[in-house]
Amino acid sequence: MTKDVLVSISGLHMDMDAQIPGPDEDDVIEVVTPATYYYRNGKHYIIYDEIVEGVSDTIKNKIKISGTDSLEIMKSGLSNTHMIFEKNKKNLTYYKTLYGQMLVGLNTRNMEIEVSDETIKVRVDYELDVNHEPLANCKIRMNIVSKGSGIAV
């Protein structure tokens, strides 16, 4: 994996009370952005800036992947949080936004991490609760590829 990478992150949130069994494609949010990749002490790090529409500041993001069962997403700037996803575990964190702070619960039901020379693929399925109230079933999909590898993100 090269230092310069492209990251594709897609997320889907399905309301816990939704009566419709399948996700609506319009609910999927996807971002593709350039990032910097590092490998230190057996852990993968991906760092990128997130641009928020209508605001001049950005959110600095750091993704840390440890083995095949731990993913951390750290955000700082306009919003601040340190989310930890561990397979079959529930983790709590505070999520600070422009509108206030929330207590967020992340109950990771499934996680798959595949690492090769040119790509890292991450799939996480989790339940999201806010202030101990169930909110949504969620999915995160990440595809990290070396820039110039010819592999589509």
Side-chain angles (χ1 to χ4, degrees):
M1 182 83 63
T2 62
K3 180 180 174 183
D4 295 321
V5 296
L6 286 175
V7 178
S8 167
I9 301 174
S10 62
L12 173 66
H13 298 264
M14 294 177 290
D15 188 344
M16 296 286 265
D17 298 325
Q19 299 298 316
I20 303 168
D24 182 355
E25 282 192 28
D26 294 338
D27 294 338
V28 176
I29 298 167
E30 184 172 14
V31 174
V32 177
T33 187
T36 303
Y37 168 81
Y38 296 98
Y39 184 76
R40 300 269 191 284
N41 299 320
K43 296 169 181 58
H44 303 274
Y45 295 90
I46 298 94
I47 300 166
Y48 67 95
D49 289 340
E50 182 180 340
I51 298 168
V52 181
E53 282 186 45
V55 183
S56 60
D57 288 339
T58 61
I59 300 171
K60 301 237 180 258
N61 288 275
K62 181 173 17 173
I63 299 168
K64 177 180 167 185
I65 301 169
S66 306
T68 58
D69 57 1
S70 178
L71 169 73
E72 296 178 51
I73 300 174
M74 294 150 271
K75 295 178 174 281
S76 62
L78 282 175
S79 64
N80 294 287
T81 192
H82 184 163
M83 298 181 288
I84 300 172
F85 299 90
E86 294 174 290
K87 193 172 182 176
N88 298 318
K89 284 190 180 178
K90 182 173 183 177
N91 289 294
L92 297 175
T93 188
Y94 283 100
Y95 199 123
K96 277 194 217 176
T97 71
L98 293 172
Y99 308 104
Q101 181 171 277
M102 301 176 284
L103 178 62
V104 174
L106 306 164
N107 185 12
T108 306
R109 292 181 298 195
N110 191 34
M111 178 180 299
E112 297 173 23
I113 298 172
E114 299 172 26
V115 178
S116 71
D117 289 345
E118 297 292 332
T119 66
I120 299 174
K121 293 181 180 181
V122 178
R123 288 177 282 299
V124 181
D125 298 336
Y126 65 100
E127 288 177 13
L128 173 70
D129 68 60
V130 175
N131 298 325
H132 301 289
E133 292 293 324
L135 187 67
N137 289 313
C138 305
K139 296 178 185 284
I140 297 174
R141 303 294 182 255
M142 292 183 199
N143 195 16
I144 299 114
V145 300
S146 294
K147 263 190 188 175
S149 67
I151 300 170
V153 225

